Amino acid sequence: MSSKATEVVRLLTVNGGTLAVAESLTGGLVAAEITSVPGASKVFKGSVTAYATELKHRLLGVDATLLAQRGAVDPQVAAQMAAGVRTALGADWGIATTGVAGPDPQDGQAVGTVYVAVDGPFAEGAGSGKVRRLRLNGDRAEIRMESVRSVLALLLEELAGEQTGNERAQDTERNGGF
């Protein structure tokens, strides 16, 4: 169990939030990392491992035209996977991984090209999701594990920002503000 996974579970528990995971290249490793944390059952709804491209459309609602035109390794695909799993599993937050772990390139993308995404209850006007492009080095196992760490780090940034915003609002209320 990683400190990132532990912190994700802690922040979701404190905020009363829930999480769903959509995975492709990580093949269930993100879900395994989260569920290794004691108490994860309070916040973790479940996961969809959509390794096959057609499952990204059928189970997660990723646009079929997008998949046909750009392939599965694409920032919009990652964003739609995160939003789709969030909706499908009824969670407050959805995270997703898609990319090429190797040994061969896929959909015209080099080995080590990865997109991680988070979708959640963002502030008004902030957009519906965040996507980060990664260019990772190493063997297949290293690329997959770094993808797990990276998607959890992206989620932590959003959860920490939400926590900071809530703490600021509470402080303002305590000091007589609105």
Side-chain angles (χ1 to χ4, degrees):
M1 130 184 57
S2 74
S3 60
K4 283 182 176 53
T6 301
E7 187 64 6
V8 162
V9 170
R10 186 190 76 75
L11 286 173
L12 285 168
T13 301
V14 165
N15 294 331
T18 56
L19 176 64
V21 176
E23 299 187 66
S24 186
L25 85 148
T26 50
L29 292 173
V30 177
E33 193 70 18
I34 292 164
T35 58
S36 71
V37 178
S41 60
K42 295 176 190 154
V43 300
F44 186 65
K45 290 277 205 163
S47 65
V48 173
T49 300
Y51 210 65
T53 299
E54 71 269 8
L55 292 180
K56 291 171 181 64
H57 169 67
R58 194 158 21 111
L59 298 178
L60 300 172
V62 176
D63 183 82
T65 304
L66 174 66
L67 288 166
Q69 291 176 347
R70 298 197 191 158
V73 183
D74 181 83
Q76 287 183 332
V77 170
Q80 289 184 19
M81 287 174 65
V85 78
R86 179 181 175 214
T87 300
L89 301 185
D92 298 310
W93 294 91
I95 58 175
T97 62
T98 187
V100 185
D104 300 314
Q106 176 188 335
D107 295 332
Q109 300 289 339
V111 172
T113 303
V114 175
Y115 294 94
V116 295
V118 60
D119 188 80
F122 299 104
E124 284 295 316
S128 61
K130 311 269 182 181
V131 178
R132 182 165 292 150
R133 180 185 194 274
L134 308 173
R135 183 64 187 105
L136 303 175
N137 295 310
D139 65 20
R140 183 175 173 79
E142 291 167 328
I143 290 169
R144 293 174 76 214
M145 288 312 300
E146 186 55 36
S147 298
V148 171
R149 284 188 288 276
S150 296
V151 76
L152 292 175
L154 183 60
L155 176 59
L156 275 175
E157 288 173 21
E158 298 305 318
L159 291 173
E162 181 182 67
Q163 181 76 12
T164 302
N166 288 341
E167 289 167 354
R168 234 180 281 131
Q170 290 169 0
D171 184 53
T172 301
E173 288 171 11
R174 277 194 296 269
N175 291 314
F178 296 100

